[in-house]
Amino acid sequence: MVIKTDELPAAAPADSAREPSSQTGSKGRPGAADLPSVMLLNGDCPESLKKEEGAAEPPRENGLEEAEPGEETPGQEVIVIQDTGFSVKILAPGIEPFSLQVSPQEMVQEIHQVLMDREDTCHRTCFSLHLDGNMLDHFSELRSVEGLQEGSVLRVVEEPYTVREARIHVRHVRDLLKSLDPSDAFNGVDCNSLSFLSVFTDGDLGDSGKRKKGLEMDPIDCTPPEHILPGSRERPLCPLQPQNRDWKPLQCLKVLTMSGWNPPPGNRKMHGDLMYLFVITAEDRQVSITASTRGFYLNQSTAYHFNPKPASPRFLSHSLVELLNQISPTFKKNFAVLQKKRVQRHPFERIATPFQVYSWTAPQAEHAMDCVRAEDAYTSRLGYEEHIPGQTRDWNEELQTTRELPRKNLPERLLRERAVFKVHSDFTAAATRGAMAVIDGNVMAINPSEETKMQMFIWNNIFFSLGFDVRDHYKDFGGDVAAYVAPTNDLNGVRTYNAVDVEGLYTLGTVVVDYRGYRVTAQSIIPGILERDQEQSVIYGSIDFGKTVMSHPRYLELLERTSRPLKILRHRVLNDRDEEVELCSSVECKGIIGNDGRHYILDLLRTFPPDLNFLPVPGEALPEECTRAGFPRTHRHKLCCLRQELVDAFVEHRYLLFMKLAALQLMQQKASKMETPTSLENGGPPSSEPKPEEPPGPEAGSEEEGGSASGLAKVKELAETIASDDGTADPRSREVIRNACKAVGSVSSTAFDVRFNPDIFSPGVRFPESCQEEVRDQKQLLKDAAAFLLSCQIPGLVKDCTDHVVLPMDGATLAEVMRQRGINMRYLGKVLDLVLRSPARDQLDHIYKIGIGELITRSAKHIFKTYLQGVELSGLSAAISHFLNCFLSSYPNPVAHLPADELVSKKRNRRRRNRPPGAADNTAWAVMTPQELWKNICQEAKNYFDFSLECETVDQAVESYGLQKITLLREISLKTGIQVLLKEYSFDSRHKPAFTEEDVLNIFPVVKHINPKASDAFHFFQSGQAKVQQGFLKEGCELISEALNLFNNVYGAMHVEICACLRLLARLHYIMGDYAEALSNQQKAVLMSERVMGIEHPNTIQEYMHLALYCFASSQLSTALSLLYRARYLTLLVFGEDHPEMALLDNNIGLVLHGVMEYDLSLRFLENALAVSTKYHGPRSLKVALSHHLVARVYESKAEFRSALQHEKEGYTIYKTQLGEDHEKTKESSEYLKCLTQQAVALQRTMNEIYRNGSSANIPPLKFTAPSMASVLEQLNVINGILFIPLSQKDLENLKAEVARRHQLQEATKNRDKAEEPMATEPEPAGPPRDAASQPQATKDPSSPSLQG
């Protein structure tokens, strides 16, 4: 275990000590259940019945007894639902009584879960708890149980089995037997995923700190494997998934399966037989077992002969495990060891993740017999439905009722958000299974007589449709291509409306699944929609793209409430009878009132305004910035929209412009005698503005507006007065605001309000004559937005990359950085053009490489999609391996193996009726050649991204753009869902192809879904970050612990945002000197990042580096090194050596090696870091100076003073030119130079002495000092951006007062904080955790005086 409860952090919940899972199913909610923190009402949620029984739950430690019953948690005054926990005594048959810490909000069923997971009671599932002879209800809260108090005794009473209970029991035993087996994670089932941290930390970090005594140097082997050393060319794949010792499973049984004699015949049913099991023990004894109402016993049946009479030994056991212990000594021994190992694993290695994460590589696995899996595959188990009353789930009802839950106060909101999140993750899992079943041909269509592309399906109350243009619906928009992108646009619309969360307006549950080349949209079903015609149902919007348009007052009222946050303009359009119809959304957005009386909106594919750069409209000229960049370009479809992030950034940018114009005019009015009207021109050519994306620091903001700050404050006041329209503002001021509004295209003339009409430039939509002026303004606004993307956002992105504000490391992180700035992926070619033309081209080398790799793999993905549609199931692995050979192998002419090789079929050519979509028995794929594929890739890159690739083969691409084939394999696999065998591929062999069909193990779906957010937790997180940035670490820490609590409450134990929270907590604890706590939180962050984001995701690499630093600080040197080596290996695999982040990594590795006196090795890493820093930061940067200094220190330790002096001089020169003579850095460097010179002189003297007197000279031995650990740690902190400033208490007080004073000052000067839009000059709150995940070192360090020099 990580932390025993007695050393639990006070502020963070005991999330590792005991994790009762509430109705979050097997997702296990790490409850602060035994600490009196904020565990919220567990039971009142409609989901409470969906408890997934038998889920493998996290371990409960017996360390639990040590927790102080009333341990108080500081910093929780924020929420007042505190109940102190208490402990109860549990009496279970056959074991010593033990006590258990519980909290009053828990439900009785959570104690059940704890017992089903404890090592000594894990084999029981069918029992009840009794207090003073009364049975406790499963679903009641502990506080409602009469007489339950500190010290009460709960008895575990075995209950009779039913068929359902017996099944649950067998399932649970199977889960216990498989608890260390990673096959579910490799196969991507049941939300299992991989984690390898324990391989590198050698078990657990928590205890090992105590074992190692002080700083004694155990001789540790520091040499990394050859492929990790700087300059190594090989990039092996196997180390990605090292073999975990625990995986070699201890065999407890050979076979445990349902017997062929099931179900019991009537006369045996009446004897209480529920079902029969067949077992082969490890000693090869075959036995048949009866599960009866009273328990399990051996019967006399064999495989061919049914005899239900009990066999000897006549032993009836209430638990299957106890029975197996009786009949098999091996089982008894191994099962005990297995359970011991199971509870030792960190809970985060075993809790299910909220959404499935797939692995793109897997080792060759033995396929073992598994009765539960077999049963699941052939019964229509749609996600544990057999445990729920009423069988299949009514997804629509669940999704909508959870949204209707009350949300007036914090407990209600948490309960609601938790229910919404849970239903969404369950729905996503069910929709994914269904979509795969549809494409694999396992679901009957509801319109089977139509051709396959047109078919629609219903499975498990979810409606599935394929991404093809059915009935020429999208004929004017680009046909099938438009039908393929419409679902993702629609999903973005659903995401947005869900986020606005207007009461009374409902959206459908929507999941988009790409699988085997097909796109499937899964939606929940509006009640009653299947019984009536679509034409009758739609009462708002249009079903034929704007010919017939309807409106409805209730819909207008509901949508009006979303229009402000979504910047949508309420507008009028003409229908086919030339009547004006008022809408507050695009025409395609349809409103349907379901039979349940709810107002649904669907088809939200045009929620955002069109992107004119990709939508040429005859007779409309784009602004000069666009035409210069070669726009407008014709795209494949006409559904290109701007991203919501872009709309927000644009409006923010306009708001800034508005404030400046108004302030200028006000000042002109004041000084109208001397002022010339020309100065209005400084109203800000758009390019001179700071982009909303990179808010300058507060100082910059206040200097820039130094003069106009008071003016802006006046504008603010004025705008508010005018908007409230109480007639107090004088006409001249009104004029000022009116002019400013007009200049920025505001739709109101009395206040700033920029909105878009989503129907402008929509084919087939007509506007009434009376609106022509408004339409003209709206067209201009769209053109400005398109120009803003090109003139502000893309250059802003390139600037951020140049300044290393963002450090993408692979395609996904690059895409994320682009999308945060509202830049669609179709602009990738433009971004790369700008990178090429940038004066700092060399410093953008990594961005260029990632961009080219992304361009190639995305183009290949487009081709692969259509390629796969022509492949029937039996040829899938052959086709995929052939494609990979053409794409990545240097072998010039790979030949595809057609599937007919293995078996010869007698009857050929019988046309099969029910074929999966589009599967003409097609072998066209087999003729593809590498030359043809690469020609198509280059063509695709030109057509789609408007970028010319200069390569005809993979080898040319690798050569001319410096790419790695292993990286390309990873990128294409992640994008298409391919899973390949974990082995070393010889990509460069010209004698045989790299892939055979045996190397393709699986193809997974790629799933797009909505991530519901935990809003309250997020606000806590942000205010915590803000506090930290102002230097109030303790308060920040408490707020962030609080956020962690709330996140856990909503998301369960595993989530990306919890990961960001843990990382920040670890960092704060580290800064405040609590290394153990830092280590424990960071360990969780690493495990969670591996599980939720992927074992080689750039975020995981970051987390590994932080953990290594904290390990080093806790003097676990060898662990720190192996973590850093792992991080370096992953970086090499994901990108390669030439990345700015590599400089930081290598500096870390070099420093640690220096600390353990491995000087030569250390130099290899530090010199590589120096080279990389020089390339990416320029030879005169302070980072390079620091690098020189680190290298000099190692040379000094080696007594090579000449080299040391040379490097330190370089560093000194940089400091002198950059910081001046008097800066402390320059002085330090000059001191160190003197010291080196003295040592060099001393050494020279000694040498001369030797030469003069021969070797007999009597010389004092030279003193070479190994660096002290403290000095190494100090340097490590410096390079990782953590600076401790030793301050006395008094200094601290003064510093805080100063910070507070400055803060007030800023508040005063920038009294425009209360604007509706956050101003673009304020530093925004430090971005949501998801940004933090992709942000590099530089931005992650909160820039507070006490953290960063």
Side-chain angles (χ1 to χ4, degrees):
M1 281 308 287
V2 215
I3 5 179
K4 297 286 180 283
T5 326
D6 50 351
E7 34 184 86
L8 273 172
D15 50 348
S16 46
R18 157 154 167 4
E19 289 168 336
S21 116
S22 71
Q23 71 281 358
T24 44
S26 63
K27 312 283 189 283
R29 157 181 72 55
D34 30 333
L35 291 194
S37 60
V38 208
M39 217 47 263
L40 284 168
L41 326 166
N42 265 334
D44 324 355
C45 148
E47 304 325 296
S48 51
L49 297 167
K50 312 225 163 66
K51 175 70 209 81
E52 180 186 304
E53 265 104 340
E57 283 299 316
R60 306 297 176 317
E61 246 340 50
N62 306 358
L64 226 44
E65 291 87 299
E66 300 136 29
E68 287 303 306
E71 221 176 325
E72 264 313 323
T73 342
Q76 308 246 323
E77 63 286 318
V78 221
I79 307 180
V80 216
I81 354 172
Q82 289 200 8
D83 274 315
T84 329
F86 56 91
S87 62
V88 292
K89 223 178 184 53
I90 306 276
L91 282 179
I95 59 169
E96 292 296 303
F98 57 91
S99 64
L100 187 64
Q101 187 73 20
V102 292
S103 124
Q105 294 95 13
E106 280 181 33
M107 294 195 306
V108 174
Q109 107 172 357
E110 295 184 36
I111 301 186
H112 273 251
Q113 282 301 11
V114 178
L115 296 179
M116 278 165 63
D117 207 76
R118 272 182 66 104
E119 194 182 339
D120 45 7
T121 54
C122 64
H123 53 275
R124 304 182 180 284
T125 59
C126 185
F127 59 88
S128 58
L129 292 168
H130 288 232
L131 175 66
D132 307 331
N134 300 324
M135 182 167 133
L136 305 186
D137 168 39
H138 224 65
F139 293 112
S140 59
E141 291 191 4
L142 295 185
R143 61 166 145 226
S144 62
V145 176
E146 269 181 56
L148 185 64
Q149 62 208 28
E150 175 68 39
S152 293
V153 175
L154 292 179
R155 296 190 79 85
V156 174
V157 177
E158 297 175 343
E159 292 290 324
Y161 283 99
T162 58
V163 174
R164 175 171 171 274
E165 285 292 346
R167 274 170 187 269
I168 288 173
H169 186 77
V170 173
R171 187 175 280 275
H172 181 64
V173 170
R174 171 265 194 180
D175 284 343
L176 291 176
L177 291 173
K178 285 191 60 169
S179 55
L180 296 181
D181 180 5
S183 59
D184 280 355
F186 287 121
N187 296 330
V189 291
D190 289 345
C191 287
N192 286 301
S193 58
L194 298 164
S195 159
F196 291 98
L197 177 63
S198 54
V199 177
F200 300 97
T201 54
D202 214 22
D204 204 16
L205 290 170
D207 339 322
S208 45
K210 300 192 190 65
R211 285 204 305 271
K212 302 216 165 84
K213 304 172 288 301
L215 286 173
E216 284 175 38
M217 302 302 278
D218 299 334
I220 44 180
D221 180 22
C222 308
T223 0
E226 199 58 41
H227 59 262
I228 292 177
L229 288 171
S232 161
R233 310 290 310 143
E234 52 169 329
R235 299 279 180 268
L237 183 57
C238 289
L240 177 62
Q241 293 173 341
Q243 276 302 302
N244 194 326
R245 297 191 300 277
D246 291 346
W247 288 353
K248 283 287 155 263
L250 292 158
Q251 200 182 33
C252 297
L253 292 174
K254 290 200 171 158
V255 176
L256 161 63
T257 167
M258 295 292 166
S259 156
W261 298 115
N262 282 317
N267 64 330
R268 288 310 305 168
K269 240 188 193 154
M270 297 164 80
H271 280 84
D273 289 9
L274 302 172
M275 61 184 190
Y276 304 119
L277 304 171
F278 176 66
V279 170
I280 302 181
T281 66
E283 297 86 358
D284 276 332
R285 178 180 172 195
Q286 303 192 5
V287 291
S288 191
I289 295 177
T290 301
S292 74
T293 48
R294 294 167 49 215
F296 296 82
Y297 61 84
L298 301 185
N299 62 40
Q300 297 181 23
S301 303
T302 63
Y304 307 108
H305 177 68
F306 180 63
N307 179 357
K309 299 257 182 310
S312 58
R314 295 193 168 205
F315 179 78
L316 172 79
S317 156
H318 192 265
S319 126
L320 181 57
V321 172
E322 287 176 355
L323 177 67
L324 293 170
N325 277 340
Q326 286 292 321
I327 60 174
S328 161
T330 316
F331 178 87
K332 185 172 185 173
K333 181 170 114 247
N334 287 354
F335 186 76
V337 177
L338 188 71
Q339 293 324 305
K340 211 169 228 57
K341 276 194 175 164
R342 179 179 67 89
V343 293
Q344 279 165 359
R345 288 178 70 194
H346 194 288
F348 283 8
E349 294 180 57
R350 322 184 292 127
I351 299 170
T353 56
F355 300 103
Q356 184 66 57
V357 177
Y358 298 101
S359 165
W360 63 277
T361 53
Q364 192 70 60
E366 299 285 302
H367 190 58
M369 200 182 271
D370 180 341
C371 63
V372 175
R373 187 186 55 215
E375 181 192 16
D376 288 348
Y378 291 110
T379 54
S380 160
R381 156 196 172 244
L382 317 171
Y384 283 103
E385 268 75 80
E386 67 263 33
H387 301 330
I388 298 163
Q391 297 305 304
T392 54
R393 293 168 70 163
D394 182 344
W395 290 109
N396 191 65
E397 189 55 31
E398 281 189 39
L399 287 160
Q400 313 312 347
T401 23
T402 51
R403 296 189 75 84
E404 286 166 349
L405 290 171
R407 43 172 147 175
K408 287 189 283 299
N409 53 25
L410 186 73
E412 285 184 352
R413 280 198 302 274
L414 285 175
L415 192 65
R416 174 176 183 266
E417 283 175 349
R418 175 153 104 207
V420 167
F421 183 75
K422 177 69 179 94
V423 176
H424 265 286
S425 67
D426 287 358
F427 177 69
T428 304
T432 309
R433 288 190 57 172
M436 291 168 71
V438 163
I439 297 300
D440 289 338
N442 303 337
V443 181
M444 177 84 176
I446 49 178
N447 49 348
S449 52
E450 306 207 22
E451 79 167 288
T452 34
K453 282 186 177 182
M454 319 271 279
Q455 291 182 348
M456 292 173 275
F457 305 82
I458 289 180
W459 179 89
N460 186 11
N461 278 330
I462 305 175
F463 174 77
F464 296 93
S465 53
L466 300 167
F468 295 110
D469 185 12
V470 188
R471 305 188 180 80
D472 287 341
H473 193 63
Y474 292 104
K475 193 172 73 202
D476 302 340
F477 291 87
D480 276 350
V481 184
Y484 188 82
V485 298
T488 44
N489 279 6
D490 181 36
L491 180 70
N492 289 335
V494 172
R495 178 179 295 130
T496 316
Y497 276 101
N498 273 355
V500 178
D501 212 6
V502 168
E503 237 170 295
L505 189 64
Y506 296 90
T507 53
L508 301 183
T510 309
V511 174
V512 178
V513 180
D514 292 323
Y515 178 60
R516 286 181 49 195
Y518 296 95
R519 172 158 285 179
V520 186
T521 312
Q523 290 170 310
S524 63
I525 301 169
I526 299 179
I529 184 96
L530 297 170
E531 288 95 79
R532 36 185 189 179
D533 236 10
Q534 196 179 16
E535 284 77 14
Q536 304 161 3
S537 325
V538 174
I539 57 163
Y540 171 90
S542 160
I543 55 168
D544 47 17
F545 290 103
K547 294 184 192 61
T548 46
V549 189
M550 340 254 265
S551 189
H552 187 280
R554 176 73 180 133
Y555 270 103
L556 280 176
E557 176 199 334
L558 287 168
L559 288 166
E560 179 65 55
R561 284 194 247 155
T562 65
S563 66
R564 187 172 189 105
L566 299 188
K567 325 273 190 293
I568 290 176
L569 180 67
R570 189 163 172 163
H571 58 282
R572 296 198 297 280
V573 298
L574 292 174
N575 65 12
D576 50 359
R577 293 197 291 277
D578 285 341
E579 299 155 343
E580 295 191 9
V581 182
E582 191 166 22
L583 295 176
C584 197
S585 64
S586 66
V587 287
E588 295 81 18
C589 168
K590 305 175 192 26
I592 297 181
I593 298 183
N595 283 359
D596 52 4
R598 294 186 178 111
H599 291 75
Y600 292 93
I601 50 168
L602 54 155
D603 286 349
L604 306 173
L605 55 143
R606 303 186 66 136
T607 305
F608 297 110
D611 180 354
L612 293 194
N613 289 328
F614 285 92
L615 192 69
V617 182
E620 295 285 348
L622 286 185
E624 197 249 343
E625 294 98 324
C626 303
T627 47
R628 213 178 31 230
F631 289 110
R633 293 189 56 223
T634 313
H635 202 56
R636 296 179 178 181
H637 58 81
K638 295 186 175 161
L639 294 179
C640 296
C641 306
L642 298 171
R643 294 186 64 86
Q644 185 184 8
E645 297 90 338
L646 186 92
V647 173
D648 292 347
F650 176 70
V651 171
E652 222 159 284
H653 170 90
R654 280 289 160 110
Y655 183 56
L656 205 67
L657 193 56
F658 165 78
M659 294 303 268
K660 286 192 167 172
L661 286 174
L664 256 162
Q665 287 190 353
L666 275 183
M667 288 161 74
Q668 280 167 7
Q669 277 186 10
K670 260 201 210 139
S672 53
K673 335 179 215 341
M674 36 202 277
E675 190 62 79
T676 53
T678 53
S679 70
L680 220 174
E681 302 313 311
N682 330 356
S687 54
S688 70
E689 231 96 67
K691 327 268 175 331
E693 259 50 38
E694 14 159 337
E699 310 77 19
S702 36
E703 282 159 29
E704 184 184 273
E705 266 102 27
S708 57
S710 50
L712 284 173
K714 283 208 178 59
V715 177
K716 196 69 197 245
E717 208 171 306
L718 181 67
E720 278 159 14
T721 324
I722 294 177
S724 62
D725 207 22
D726 51 5
T728 48
D730 70 278
R732 286 177 63 199
S733 316
R734 281 173 182 276
E735 184 58 29
V736 167
I737 296 288
R738 191 174 307 120
N739 289 344
C741 284
K742 195 167 165 48
V744 295
S746 163
V747 294
S748 140
S749 61
T750 53
F752 175 84
D753 191 1
V754 169
R755 301 189 187 195
F756 292 91
N757 173 344
D759 283 330
I760 300 276
F761 296 127
S762 223
V765 178
R766 298 172 304 138
F767 298 100
E769 275 306 309
S770 55
C771 306
Q772 287 314 313
E773 188 170 327
E774 178 190 288
V775 169
R776 200 184 59 241
D777 291 349
Q778 279 291 325
K779 287 185 174 176
Q780 190 50 47
L781 200 59
L782 281 179
K783 293 175 184 175
D784 293 348
F788 171 74
L789 198 156
L790 294 170
S791 63
C792 284
Q793 297 305 82
I794 293 182
L797 169 74
V798 173
K799 182 180 182 314
D800 280 355
C801 292
T802 316
D803 301 343
H804 303 301
V805 177
V806 290
L807 269 181
M809 197 182 271
D810 67 345
T813 40
L814 176 67
E816 191 176 355
V817 167
M818 284 175 64
R819 288 174 181 148
Q820 279 164 15
R821 285 158 181 68
I823 306 169
N824 310 67
M825 287 316 289
R826 56 178 173 270
Y827 286 99
L828 183 58
K830 284 289 157 271
V831 173
L832 289 175
D833 282 340
L834 198 61
V835 166
L836 275 177
R837 295 204 309 274
S838 157
R841 163 74 182 84
D842 278 353
Q843 295 179 27
L844 289 166
D845 203 27
H846 60 299
I847 303 290
Y848 188 63
K849 278 185 194 164
I850 296 171
I852 293 282
E854 188 69 351
L855 203 92
I856 290 175
T857 45
R858 276 178 183 265
S859 304
K861 178 185 79 172
H862 297 168
I863 297 163
F864 184 65
K865 181 189 82 194
T866 39
Y867 171 89
L868 268 193
Q869 288 178 6
V871 180
E872 59 166 24
L873 195 50
S874 60
L876 211 51
S877 58
I880 295 173
S881 61
H882 180 62
F883 183 90
L884 290 176
N885 279 329
C886 295
F887 182 43
L888 294 172
S889 173
S890 305
Y891 182 64
N893 41 1
V895 183
H897 292 281
L898 290 177
D901 300 356
E902 290 186 24
L903 304 167
V904 183
S905 152
K906 283 281 192 314
K907 302 196 189 78
R908 297 307 297 266
N909 302 336
R910 292 277 306 279
R911 296 300 300 274
R912 288 201 312 285
R913 209 35 220 113
N914 188 6
R915 283 211 302 265
D921 296 337
N922 193 337
T923 52
W925 56 267
V927 297
M928 177 190 270
T929 64
Q931 296 73 22
E932 178 196 354
L933 173 62
W934 276 90
K935 195 170 128 219
N936 290 346
I937 287 176
C938 295
Q939 223 170 342
E940 181 71 12
K942 185 70 189 145
N943 296 348
Y944 195 91
F945 298 105
D946 192 24
F947 191 87
S948 311
L949 287 172
E950 307 290 327
C951 51
E952 290 168 18
T953 63
V954 65
D955 293 316
Q956 281 182 19
V958 166
E959 195 53 45
S960 43
Y961 297 113
L963 306 173
Q964 304 184 141
K965 290 187 178 180
I966 191 85
T967 304
L968 291 174
L969 174 63
R970 171 180 180 263
E971 292 283 357
I972 190 85
S973 303
L974 290 175
K975 286 182 179 57
T976 53
I978 299 171
Q979 186 184 52
V980 295
L981 179 64
L982 184 73
K983 69 169 209 189
E984 302 312 340
Y985 292 99
S986 47
F987 295 111
D988 298 331
S989 158
R990 303 194 60 80
H991 306 300
K992 64 177 209 298
F995 297 88
T996 67
E997 47 196 290
E998 301 307 314
D999 294 333
V1000 178
L1001 297 182
N1002 211 335
I1003 184 160
F1004 291 123
V1006 176
V1007 185
K1008 300 181 176 66
H1009 57 82
I1010 291 167
N1011 276 309
K1013 290 277 168 265
S1015 52
D1016 289 289
F1018 186 52
H1019 293 317
F1020 272 101
F1021 185 74
Q1022 282 187 320
S1023 34
Q1025 281 183 320
K1027 273 271 185 273
V1028 169
Q1029 289 183 344
Q1030 296 159 22
F1032 302 107
L1033 299 190
K1034 196 92 183 81
E1035 292 87 331
C1037 200
E1038 282 167 9
L1039 280 165
I1040 287 168
S1041 305
E1042 193 46 63
L1044 179 65
N1045 250 336
L1046 302 185
F1047 276 137
N1048 280 336
N1049 232 303
V1050 173
Y1051 296 142
M1054 286 271 156
H1055 196 273
V1056 182
E1057 289 175 21
I1058 300 181
C1059 190
C1061 217
L1062 286 166
R1063 175 202 312 135
L1064 191 51
L1065 265 182
R1067 197 172 191 103
L1068 287 174
H1069 282 299
Y1070 180 71
I1071 287 164
M1072 299 193 299
D1074 186 349
Y1075 294 164
E1077 198 42 48
L1079 209 56
S1080 151
N1081 278 320
Q1082 188 57 35
Q1083 179 185 19
K1084 288 178 207 159
V1086 176
L1087 286 170
M1088 198 172 298
S1089 185
E1090 287 193 307
R1091 296 280 322 277
V1092 181
M1093 303 181 76
I1095 52 173
E1096 81 292 3
H1097 189 282
N1099 187 66
T1100 308
I1101 300 177
Q1102 289 280 343
E1103 305 294 9
Y1104 263 101
M1105 287 168 67
H1106 293 312
L1107 185 60
L1109 173 65
Y1110 307 154
C1111 277
F1112 185 89
S1114 317
S1115 61
Q1116 305 183 21
L1117 307 187
S1118 53
T1119 307
L1121 261 179
S1122 55
L1123 293 170
L1124 286 169
Y1125 287 154
R1126 171 70 170 173
R1128 191 171 209 274
Y1129 165 72
L1130 294 176
T1131 312
L1132 289 173
L1133 180 81
V1134 167
F1135 177 83
E1137 196 154 52
D1138 193 15
H1139 191 278
E1141 196 69 342
M1142 197 50 106
L1144 181 63
L1145 238 172
D1146 283 352
N1147 272 329
N1148 273 302
I1149 296 176
L1151 271 167
V1152 176
L1153 287 169
H1154 185 195
V1156 296
M1157 304 194 290
E1158 289 276 352
Y1159 302 134
D1160 293 331
L1161 254 184
S1162 168
L1163 274 177
R1164 288 184 69 170
F1165 287 101
L1166 288 176
E1167 284 176 335
N1168 188 54
L1170 177 59
V1172 175
S1173 288
T1174 312
K1175 171 173 176 180
Y1176 284 108
H1177 296 282
R1180 306 258 61 90
S1181 112
L1182 295 176
K1183 284 208 154 113
V1184 175
L1186 180 60
S1187 228
H1188 277 299
H1189 173 64
L1190 297 178
V1191 175
R1193 287 181 35 162
V1194 183
Y1195 275 123
E1196 177 201 9
S1197 300
K1198 289 182 68 177
E1200 294 182 18
F1201 296 114
R1202 182 170 295 156
S1203 310
L1205 277 165
Q1206 199 181 331
H1207 278 288
E1208 191 56 43
K1209 271 184 193 138
E1210 292 274 341
Y1212 173 72
T1213 323
I1214 297 175
Y1215 283 134
K1216 196 165 125 186
T1217 47
Q1218 298 281 5
L1219 304 171
E1221 285 282 0
D1222 304 328
H1223 193 276
E1224 59 170 327
K1225 281 278 181 209
T1226 322
K1227 289 183 177 159
E1228 272 176 29
S1229 180
S1230 131
E1231 280 302 302
Y1232 185 56
L1233 273 174
K1234 280 186 198 145
C1235 159
L1236 281 176
T1237 317
Q1238 286 165 2
Q1239 284 178 277
V1241 170
L1243 178 70
Q1244 198 51 52
R1245 268 205 205 112
T1246 314
M1247 298 307 284
N1248 293 347
E1249 185 79 9
I1250 294 181
Y1251 287 135
R1252 207 170 308 123
N1253 303 348
S1255 54
S1256 60
N1258 177 14
I1259 320 154
L1262 284 174
K1263 293 192 174 63
F1264 291 143
T1265 49
S1268 74
M1269 282 303 145
S1271 72
V1272 173
L1273 185 58
E1274 189 184 331
Q1275 293 293 344
L1276 276 172
N1277 288 329
V1278 171
I1279 60 172
N1280 287 296
I1282 299 178
L1283 226 53
F1284 298 92
I1285 303 176
L1287 294 176
S1288 67
Q1289 199 48 44
K1290 186 157 167 260
D1291 292 343
L1292 264 176
E1293 298 307 321
N1294 296 347
L1295 184 70
K1296 278 192 182 169
E1298 173 65 15
V1299 169
R1301 194 176 63 74
R1302 274 196 205 164
H1303 190 63
Q1304 281 159 355
L1305 241 160
Q1306 278 170 25
E1307 289 300 304
T1309 46
K1310 300 172 19 187
N1311 213 338
R1312 52 186 197 285
D1313 270 11
K1314 319 276 180 314
E1316 305 97 339
E1317 320 292 336
M1319 293 282 307
T1321 42
E1322 303 162 10
E1324 293 170 342
R1330 62 157 192 271
D1331 302 6
S1334 64
Q1335 295 300 336
Q1337 219 65 32
T1339 51
K1340 273 192 302 216
D1341 302 340
S1343 53
S1344 83
S1346 54
L1347 307 200
Q1348 247 181 330

